[in-house]
Amino acid sequence: MDFVPSKFVKVVNQNNYYQVHSDNEVILRVYFLSDDIVRIRYATDGHFDEDFSYAISSKFTGTPTVSMNDTPEILIFKTSTLIVNINKTDLKIIFTDLNGQIICRDEKGFHWEEHQKYGGNIIKMSKVVQEGEHFYGMGDKTMHLNLRGRRVTNWAMDTYGFKKEEDPIYKAIPFYTAIHNQKAYGIFFDNTFKSYFDFGSERRFVTSFWAEGGEMNYYFINGPELLDVTRRYTHLTGTPELPPLWALGYQQSKWSYYPESKVMDIAQKMREHKIPCDVIYLDIDYMDGFRCFTWDKEKFPDPKAMVANLKAMGFKTVVIIDPGIKIDEEYPVFKEALENNYFCRRADGPHMKGKVWPGECYFPDFTNPKVRKWWSGLFEDLIGNIGINGVWNDMNEPALFEIDGKTFPDDVRHDYDGNPCSHRKAHNVYGTQMARATYKGVKKYNHGQRPMVITRSAYAGAQRYASAWTGDNIASWEHLWIATMQCQRLAISGFSFVGTDVGGFIDHPTPELYTRWVQLATFQPFFRTHSSGDHGEQEPWSFGEDALQIVRKYIELRYQLLPYIYTTFYQYVSEYTPMLKPISVYDQTDSDTLYRVDEFLLGDHLLVCPVLEPNAKSRYVYLPKGNWYQFWTGQKMEGGKEVLAEAPLDQMPVYVREGAVIPMFPKMQYVGEHLVDQMTLNTYFGASSMNSYLYEDAGDGYEYEKGIYNLKRFKTQSSETSFRLSLKRSGHYEPTYSTYKIVIHGLPFAPSSILVNEKEVITANVYSENHKLVIVVERSTFISLEIFK
Ligand code: GLC
């Protein structure tokens, strides 16, 4: 039987919230975190547990301005953008804009039932689906981006070879965005128990969410832009620090490259085949019997020397670390954790024992701050001494072999940072807390360089500590589609630094599939080929000469685009902007975008349209409104309609927004191979006015925190008879390049006069390249370029 709040008794204005009491002892707390973020909590028996969240970032700040109007029938809260109405007969809530237009309204609203299995309550919420409402978000779900009519579960699961529509998989991010009538909003249900969301599936006009325990504790995030909803959520749950630039380069992995000679051979071949690459990964076989923080001395007799040799060739080395610690009295990591009581225990006392790669293992309780500190310390030798550059956290759902449910039993106990609880509550955050401890450790011993951590499992907020990949996918065309969905979906769920196992982890891709996958991943934030050992070779040269050439071209392009991608990362970190934007987020005013899922924007200006079918020679692309340049041909096209784009195997359709400036590096084999001596500014004529940005710094280390970085704004202004590019710069970083090579795409007139910094230019620095006007200018003095008909 469901219970609901009864009538209003009183409201009390507390320090940072309003507390509303009902006749049947329900307490509703309303917190205004900013004018656009409202937190709602309910207690059913007059008592709230300690207020604690792993998701919310300590860096979040907001300055709400709220007024309350206590009328006879409704409690009305008003901010500068939002009205929250609480009905006094049943405490139901309606969020409206300042004109009283409904954004989101309770159906049954908050209700609960007693938990048959565990006691306590199952807490639930239901809202009315508005006319024409669409839903997005929810982390790594494998279905169509638009969630209307779907039902999903949040419970982190090891799902080897997952399928389209399979749910849940590795991550649990209980956050969705919604839009109707040009009003977007989001709901973040910060409850770590297994939770469920229904978007008009069971009942067509009801959205509901509920959890198998814990508190009804959610954040309503106002828009009206979808982009702002995502940004506000990302501000709330945090962003990572800037990664080292090399972490945005191409990375090569396999389960597993061993012994050392094989690793060196792969590295050598990368350079021989001129495939740019920054990172080589070591999967579990580098360890001694899969014991974390050890080395197999036969396969890798001198890891420190190997890492140094790789470094000399321009490679970073990243190693895998799993949570399962082998039960072995001779193994120091095991002994230390055992002696200090760091391992998880069953409710009745014995250790949580489970099988993973090393056989029977115990598992550290990463929700205990003491355990996290100890874990961080374990990286001293690996990072500080051997010189490993990054760590890959796997199996942290946590995953187990040979057990029902593939994870810990529900009764396992966790510290939960001083809020002891069972695995039912801690399960979804286990992986995040492991990644957090790893991040701290890598950072601590990394000689002042920036850490690189990758995680498979995640709860909301995990993006603060790690990048992520999407787990054990399959070399199939369907999975290429899923890869496109998942990365967009994760990006709008606050997690931008994501990628997939390029080519597929399971099975072997055809040359065509591998090529198409590399093309897609060139434009996704985390770019790594990884595959399982028993399915064949998956290096860029394993697919024949034709594929090799195309793959090389795209990976080269990835490196050329690094200034643009790094700037996009900076915008994510500092402005909370998702690095990938579904086209619905790019232009929500165009209803044509709301169902389209197989194209997206990377950063401000690049529209990426992956080819997701075999034997394709072309594909349909919906060009959002505005004018676009086809990236490869330079052809200018009008948007707001669908076009048939040429897509021979060496060409994935990519478009650049008119007016854009895309900063590009010269080709390179790895970050830091040579000093960059020129920055190319690909500049696209059109748009009366358009801003583009370039963020630059040393690419590693922390000098940027002392202001040693530049933020440059390029503004273009185009008219029938003139073109102007101007630069506004702030910051103190001295780049290595001394010139900008400005390439003007699509200039529709022959110039009669060209001015740089308001002075007529010397003709030697002006030339034509592939029918485009090129002007080379001094970097240090450049302020403006004007071209007149
Ligand atoms: C898991 C990971 C995969 C890794 C393998 C062996 O399946 O998802 O990436 O290669 O374990 O460590």
Side-chain angles (χ1 to χ4, degrees):
M1 193 185 107
D2 281 344
F3 299 95
V4 292
S6 65
K7 70 177 192 319
F8 170 91
V9 178
K10 63 173 178 184
V11 58
V12 190
N13 185 350
Q14 299 285 13
N15 216 352
N16 62 341
Y17 56 85
Y18 295 88
Q19 180 150 306
V20 183
H21 295 256
S22 83
D23 203 25
N24 61 345
E25 290 193 357
V26 171
I27 304 177
L28 158 59
R29 282 186 184 166
V30 185
Y31 303 66
F32 287 86
L33 278 80
S34 71
D35 279 14
D36 294 297
I37 305 181
V38 189
R39 179 181 178 201
I40 305 284
R41 291 175 82 188
Y42 297 86
T44 51
D45 53 5
H47 163 80
F48 284 91
D49 278 347
E50 166 100 23
D51 193 11
F52 175 78
S53 166
Y54 281 120
I56 304 301
S57 161
S58 58
K59 293 191 184 139
F60 176 84
T61 51
T63 43
T65 45
V66 197
S67 63
M68 183 181 79
N69 188 359
D70 189 354
T71 74
E73 275 155 25
I74 310 176
L75 261 185
I76 305 171
F77 298 97
K78 195 170 171 184
T79 74
S80 65
T81 53
L82 189 66
I83 298 172
V84 184
N85 299 288
I86 299 176
N87 191 316
K88 285 194 170 175
T89 52
D90 50 16
L91 303 197
K92 284 189 193 174
I93 301 183
I94 304 180
F95 299 91
T96 77
D97 65 15
L98 293 184
N99 299 321
Q101 298 289 315
I102 290 178
I103 304 169
C104 174
R105 127 175 128 78
D106 282 357
E107 186 244 0
K108 196 166 184 179
F110 174 60
H111 53 292
W112 73 97
E113 77 184 77
E114 281 170 3
H115 205 306
Q116 297 280 351
K117 196 162 152 197
Y118 300 110
N121 288 330
I122 298 183
I123 42 90
K124 310 180 196 180
M125 173 60 62
S126 66
K127 312 244 174 223
V128 177
V129 173
Q130 301 296 315
E131 196 190 331
E133 188 161 5
H134 301 271
F135 302 92
Y136 307 93
M138 305 296 300
D140 64 348
K141 305 295 177 208
T142 56
M143 61 277 285
H144 194 285
L145 280 191
N146 191 324
L147 292 167
R148 175 97 187 238
R150 314 252 171 185
R151 201 176 163 91
V152 297
T153 304
N154 296 303
W155 184 250
M157 286 286 286
D158 174 14
T159 40
Y160 176 87
F162 57 92
K163 313 260 178 328
K164 186 174 174 182
E165 306 280 336
E166 183 170 333
D167 178 57
I169 60 165
Y170 301 91
K171 300 176 181 67
I173 304 186
F175 165 66
Y176 69 87
T177 65
I179 180 168
H180 62 88
N181 299 306
Q182 287 312 314
K183 278 189 271 296
Y185 68 93
I187 300 273
F188 170 43
F189 180 26
D190 189 9
N191 178 314
T192 60
F193 283 81
K194 186 186 268 185
S195 66
Y196 304 85
F197 285 69
D198 183 300
F199 301 101
S201 164
E202 284 297 302
R203 290 188 291 155
R204 269 183 78 193
F205 296 104
V206 178
T207 293
S208 51
F209 51 94
W210 66 101
E212 292 192 348
E215 196 179 279
M216 178 46 68
N217 167 34
Y218 76 90
Y219 295 78
F220 172 87
I221 303 171
N222 194 23
E225 303 289 325
L226 279 168
L227 181 59
D228 287 333
V229 176
T230 283
R231 277 192 178 139
R232 288 179 181 134
Y233 165 78
T234 309
H235 181 194
L236 189 63
T237 56
T239 47
E241 54 175 276
L242 277 170
L245 189 57
W246 59 261
L248 297 175
Y250 175 68
Q251 324 197 9
Q252 183 70 36
S253 181
K254 169 134 216 147
W255 175 23
S256 292
Y257 289 135
Y258 69 85
E260 174 179 329
S261 58
K262 175 75 185 177
V263 176
M264 298 314 290
D265 181 53
I266 295 290
Q268 197 64 45
K269 287 215 173 75
M270 282 289 166
R271 297 298 179 240
E272 273 166 22
H273 288 290
K274 297 222 164 307
I275 299 290
C277 181
D278 262 278
V279 191
I280 302 261
Y281 280 68
L282 301 182
D283 204 328
I284 46 175
D285 298 283
Y286 78 90
M287 300 176 197
D288 173 16
F290 307 126
R291 289 170 189 82
C292 291
F293 306 101
T294 67
W295 290 82
D296 180 323
K297 288 287 179 189
E298 266 174 37
K299 295 178 188 134
F300 295 95
D302 189 351
K304 191 170 176 173
M306 178 187 73
V307 170
N309 290 337
L310 285 168
K311 186 175 173 195
M313 294 168 72
F315 289 98
K316 313 285 186 224
T317 312
V318 172
V319 298
I320 199 166
I321 290 283
D322 288 351
I325 300 298
K326 188 178 173 70
I327 301 177
D328 171 1
E329 298 288 345
E330 307 291 301
Y331 168 33
V333 176
F334 174 79
K335 265 176 48 194
E336 206 178 307
L338 190 71
E339 278 158 19
N340 290 292
N341 201 16
Y342 290 158
F343 289 125
C344 294
R345 288 177 183 274
R346 304 295 299 265
D348 54 344
H351 284 108
M352 165 61 224
K353 197 194 285 179
K355 271 197 185 147
V356 260
W357 307 119
E360 298 222 303
C361 288
Y362 289 168
F363 300 82
D365 180 11
F366 294 106
T367 71
N368 181 336
K370 277 199 210 121
V371 176
R372 287 199 299 271
K373 194 161 178 222
W374 163 73
W375 184 261
S376 300
L378 294 175
F379 290 93
E380 182 169 7
D381 187 48
L382 207 53
I383 304 292
N385 175 35
I386 296 175
I388 294 297
N389 306 92
V391 173
W392 167 25
N393 279 167
D394 186 24
M395 305 290 278
N396 54 354
E397 291 69 30
L400 291 183
F401 302 156
E402 297 174 21
I403 186 167
D404 279 354
K406 291 161 62 179
T407 191
F408 296 177
D410 286 342
D411 67 276
V412 169
R413 304 298 299 168
H414 294 274
D415 179 69
Y416 213 92
D417 280 69
N419 304 277
C421 68
S422 79
H423 194 63
R424 291 171 53 236
K425 181 172 177 181
H427 174 82
N428 279 336
V429 296
Y430 186 85
T432 301
Q433 296 314 304
M434 179 190 185
R436 175 183 181 182
T438 301
Y439 161 75
K440 286 260 166 68
V442 177
K443 182 161 176 164
K444 183 166 176 199
Y445 300 109
N446 207 16
H447 308 287
Q449 302 295 83
R450 302 176 199 169
M452 166 73 187
V453 176
I454 308 124
T455 183
R456 191 171 73 174
S457 188
Y459 180 70
Q463 71 270 11
R464 301 199 294 272
Y465 315 117
S467 61
W469 91 107
T470 56
D472 297 343
N473 60 359
I474 305 175
S476 70
W477 290 93
E478 180 172 276
H479 264 271
L480 187 57
W481 182 90
I482 298 175
T484 313
M485 253 11 74
Q486 286 185 301
C487 293
Q488 292 183 70
R489 190 192 290 291
L490 280 159
I492 61 166
S493 307
F495 216 131
S496 275
F497 197 6
V498 291
T500 63
D501 282 353
V502 172
F505 178 74
I506 301 161
D507 288 346
H508 198 234
T510 60
E512 184 191 9
L513 177 60
Y514 184 70
T515 305
R516 292 302 194 189
W517 212 312
V518 165
Q519 292 174 342
L520 167 66
T522 297
F523 298 89
Q524 291 177 328
F526 178 65
F527 187 8
R528 180 184 76 155
T529 294
H530 178 58
S531 67
S532 150
D534 41 6
H535 296 113
E537 312 275 280
Q538 205 151 305
E539 291 79 42
W541 52 86
S542 321
F543 300 95
E545 189 53 34
D546 291 353
L548 175 63
Q549 279 193 28
I550 303 172
V551 164
R552 182 188 298 120
K553 171 173 130 181
Y554 278 80
I555 300 180
E556 282 173 356
L557 174 62
R558 168 72 172 214
Y559 280 79
Q560 292 176 278
L561 283 171
L562 278 180
Y564 176 78
I565 298 173
Y566 193 50
T567 301
T568 301
F569 209 113
Y570 170 80
Q571 292 169 324
Y572 167 50
V573 168
S574 61
E575 294 156 22
Y576 317 110
T577 306
M579 294 178 72
L580 305 179
K581 295 185 202 98
I583 61 169
S584 53
V585 172
Y586 174 74
D587 184 3
Q588 68 181 41
T589 64
D590 179 355
S591 55
D592 260 308
T593 65
L594 298 178
Y595 278 105
R596 295 190 184 256
V597 294
D598 55 2
E599 50 188 281
F600 58 88
L601 279 103
L602 167 65
D604 288 335
H605 300 307
L606 289 182
L607 177 70
V608 180
C609 311
V611 178
L612 304 173
E613 283 173 3
N615 304 317
K617 303 278 175 294
S618 60
R619 65 156 277 183
Y620 281 99
V621 163
Y622 180 75
L623 285 180
K625 288 181 181 149
N627 292 320
W628 300 84
Y629 284 84
Q630 214 273 21
F631 181 78
W632 305 104
T633 62
Q635 188 194 353
K636 196 168 177 180
M637 307 178 79
E638 197 187 316
K641 59 180 177 224
E642 198 165 79
V643 298
L644 184 64
E646 293 291 304
L649 190 54
D650 66 345
Q651 224 184 87
M652 177 179 71
V654 175
Y655 299 84
V656 189
R657 187 143 69 130
E658 72 169 5
V661 175
I662 309 286
M664 279 167 82
F665 273 166
K667 286 183 190 166
M668 56 183 70
Q669 293 299 297
Y670 56 91
V671 168
E673 185 196 10
H674 42 66
L675 292 183
V676 170
D677 56 3
Q678 187 171 60
M679 180 74 82
T680 299
L681 301 175
N682 279 298
T683 304
Y684 293 83
F685 179 90
S688 51
S689 176
M690 177 70 76
N691 288 333
S692 303
Y693 297 88
L694 170 62
Y695 171 84
E696 56 191 2
D697 65 13
D700 208 340
Y702 290 93
E703 288 289 294
Y704 73 98
E705 288 184 345
K706 300 178 203 143
I708 313 300
Y709 66 88
N710 297 326
L711 185 59
K712 295 175 176 170
R713 188 197 71 188
F714 296 99
K715 181 174 185 173
T716 63
Q717 290 160 288
S718 307
S719 80
E720 273 175 28
T721 53
S722 70
F723 174 73
R724 184 181 157 85
L725 167 70
S726 54
L727 166 62
K728 212 176 124 198
R729 163 193 158 163
S730 63
H732 304 285
Y733 175 67
E734 194 61 32
T736 53
Y737 58 90
S738 54
T739 53
Y740 292 115
K741 175 181 173 184
I742 304 171
V743 182
I744 319 263
H745 299 253
L747 191 70
F749 52 78
S752 69
S753 145
I754 299 176
L755 304 182
V756 169
N757 301 340
E758 302 187 347
K759 289 196 198 80
E760 200 79 30
V761 292
I762 323 138
T763 44
N765 294 337
V766 178
Y767 55 96
S768 159
E769 194 179 83
N770 304 325
H771 310 293
K772 280 165 291 226
L773 182 68
V774 175
I775 298 136
V776 176
V777 300
E778 278 298 315
R779 190 256 307 158
S780 59
T781 53
F782 179 69
I783 298 168
S784 69
L785 163 71
E786 284 153 297
I787 306 175
F788 297 98
K789 186 172 175 177

